[in-house]
């Protein structure tokens, strides 16, 4: 009964490909996030959705497109993958202000 | 521009002693502060938090102290245990509109507790 799950856990792909990462939370939370942890280990927010509506959209290339089919899901689609997209991507969800629950991460490697 | 800074990338502490992890921030709009713990190949796990209206919050072996005037917070772990070895992220939150709160993370401090 994982609270926040992500698939796949590992993703290795070639430059130029299009890929998707899926996220699901079974906590009944209203808000979901995508974070990117780059090679320098910084965790940076990319997107936030509240009740399926986009709330935060940080300076992220428009090759990245989040999609929230319902409150429990926030998927991340990436077009035309580049080498610099290699990172760990974390999904999170939040109910109250103080606590975000994170998924296990998806390790993306672009070759 | 790093709004949340953890200046010590690593810290080694003997088992049973106190671990003190430090964090500084620059944005005075932050109103809630959190510590997350992260093991390799796992997502960050919430550990403890503190509101900006308080200066101390305690939960078992973990205590967070906040000094608003200095824009500084610290996490104390007493006594430290080998299982505490992980990367600790300091994070701060501010309201970003439409019911959403944005977390800003520090770079993390890797704690190693030596048996």
């Amino acid at each position: 009964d994982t609270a926040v799950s992500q698939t796949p856990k590992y993703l290795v792909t070639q430059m130029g490909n299009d890929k998707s990462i899926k996220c699901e939370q079974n906590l009944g939370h209203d808000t979901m996030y995508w974070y990117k942890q780059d090679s320098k280990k910084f965790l940076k927010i990319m997107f936030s959705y509240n009740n399926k509506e986009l709330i935060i959209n940080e300076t992220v290339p428009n090759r990245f497109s989040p999609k929230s089919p319902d409150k429990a899901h926030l998927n991340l689609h990436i077009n035309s993958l580049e080498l610099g997209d290699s990172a760990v991507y974390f999904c999170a969800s939040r109910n109250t202000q103080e606590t975000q629950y994170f998924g296990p991460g998806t390790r993306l490697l672009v070759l | 521009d790093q709004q949340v800074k953890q200046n010590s990338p690593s810290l080694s502490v003997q088992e049973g002693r106190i671990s003190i992890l430090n964090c500084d921030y620059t944005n005075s709009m932050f109103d809630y502060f959190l510590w997350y713990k992260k093991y390799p190949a796992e997502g960050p796990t919430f550990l403890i938090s503190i509101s900006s209206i308080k200066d101390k919050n305690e939960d078992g072996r973990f205590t967070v102290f906040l000094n608003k005037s200095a824009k500084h917070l610290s996490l104390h772990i007493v006594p430290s245990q080998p299982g505490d070895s992980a990367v600790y992220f300091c994070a701060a939150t501010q309201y970003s509109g439409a019911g959403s709160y944005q977390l800003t993370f520090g770079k993390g401090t890797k704690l190693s507790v030596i048996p």
Side-chain angles (χ1 to χ4, degrees), chain B residues 15-35:
Chain B
E15 181 179 4
R17 306 293 290 268
I18 184 171
S19 295
I20 300 177
L21 296 101
N22 293 304
C23 178
D24 297 293
Y25 63 96
T26 58
N27 187 344
S28 56
M29 298 300 291
F30 288 142
D31 55 6
Y32 216 94
F33 303 89
L34 308 91
W35 284 94

Side-chain angles (χ1 to χ4, degrees), chain A residues 18-21 34 62-67 75-79:
Chain A
D18 303 339
K19 290 292 178 187
S20 292
I21 308 172
W34 276 108
N62 57 15
R63 297 182 295 102
F64 290 79
S65 52
K67 295 235 176 359
N75 303 323
L76 184 64
H77 189 76
I78 315 170
N79 288 328

Side-chain angles (χ1 to χ4, degrees), chain A residues 3-16:
Chain A
V4 182
S5 59
Q6 294 178 231
T7 53
K9 193 164 184 180
Y10 297 95
L11 183 54
V12 181
T13 188
Q14 299 282 342
M15 275 177 56

